[in-house]
């Protein structure tokens, strides 16, 4: 059994709550990238991911912070401000770690990407992008039943399961696949939910886990760090 987490975004309170929730029989925690950016604890979050030995891929924020050649014009002003702040608050060891992760991982059971299978910076946000990536999954990786992706900070499964995605929602992998699964964001959900989310999976099923954390504490740290206020405000509304 393994867990998949994504988009921690330097939110230490959310990351610690999630790690406290992971069941003991989980052998590996895979991280889909964006460990840093937006939140006030980039170094602490990266220390945890690195020292626990989580297989991790580089997200666009991880690379924007650690690759000084990145063109920040691609980021909105708030995100760009967070990138510049984070560059000043990350150890060289952690910067090197984040800069040198792969952009895709594969196990016997699954693929792991940040944005999408065809482009690590693509947002899978609608049926068309999901269908295109499912078609690519089937043709290029016919033996892989599932591809985990992040980047949108929105919990999602394609093709859609029956019923709404809820706490304890279990996706049966033994039929109807392959699937694209977004576990949602640990540190900055954008689907209207304020809790952290992640998934637990084995070869047969995927289970969503929802975790409450100390949002007020994370917000206070963002404000004390003089990061843009909006980055604290949004945690309370999940947008
Ligand atoms: Zn992200």
């Amino acid at each position: 059994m393994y867990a998949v987490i994504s988009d921690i975004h330097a939110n230490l309170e959310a990351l610690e709550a999630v790690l406290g929730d992971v069941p003991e029989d989980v052998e590996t925690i895979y991280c889909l990238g964006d460990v840093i950016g937006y939140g006030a604890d980039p170094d602490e979050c990266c220390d945890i991911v690195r020292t626990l030995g989580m297989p991790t891929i580089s997200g666009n924020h991880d690379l924007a912070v650690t690759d000084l050649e990145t063109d920040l014009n691609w980021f909105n002003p708030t995100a760009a401000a967070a990138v510049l702040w984070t560059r000043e608050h990350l150890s060289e060891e952690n910067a090197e770690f984040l800069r040198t992760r792969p952009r895709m991982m594969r196990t016997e059971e699954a693929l792991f990407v940040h944005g999408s299978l065809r482009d690590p910076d693509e947002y899978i946000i609608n049926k068309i992008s999901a269908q295109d990536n499912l078609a690519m999954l089937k043709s290029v990786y016919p033996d892989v039943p599932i591809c985990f992706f992040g980047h949108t900070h929105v919990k999602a499964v394609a093709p859609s399961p029956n019923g709404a995605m809820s706490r304890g929602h279990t996706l049966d992998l033994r039929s109807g696949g392959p699937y694209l699964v977004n576990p949602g964001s640990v540190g900055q959900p954008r689907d209207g939910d304020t809790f952290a989310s992640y998934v637990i999976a084995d070869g047969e099923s995927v289970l969503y886990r929802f975790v409450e954390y100390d949002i007020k504490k994370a917000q206070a740290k963002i404000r004390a760090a003089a990061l843009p206020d909006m980055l604290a405000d949004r945690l309370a509304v999940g947008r």
Side-chain angles (χ1 to χ4, degrees), residues 7 9 33-34 38 60-61 114 151-153 188 190:
D7 295 279
H9 282 294
D34 279 4
Y38 297 135
N60 54 314
H61 282 259
H114 184 61
H151 196 36
T152 63
H153 305 203
Q188 193 198 79
R190 293 179 192 161

Side-chain angles (χ1 to χ4, degrees), residues 118-138:
R118 65 179 171 185
D119 177 356
D121 294 327
E122 178 185 15
Y123 291 91
I124 301 181
I125 45 167
N126 55 36
K127 260 193 182 159
I128 293 172
S129 52
Q131 279 167 357
D132 287 353
N133 278 285
L134 278 170
M136 187 176 169
L137 181 58
K138 281 181 203 170

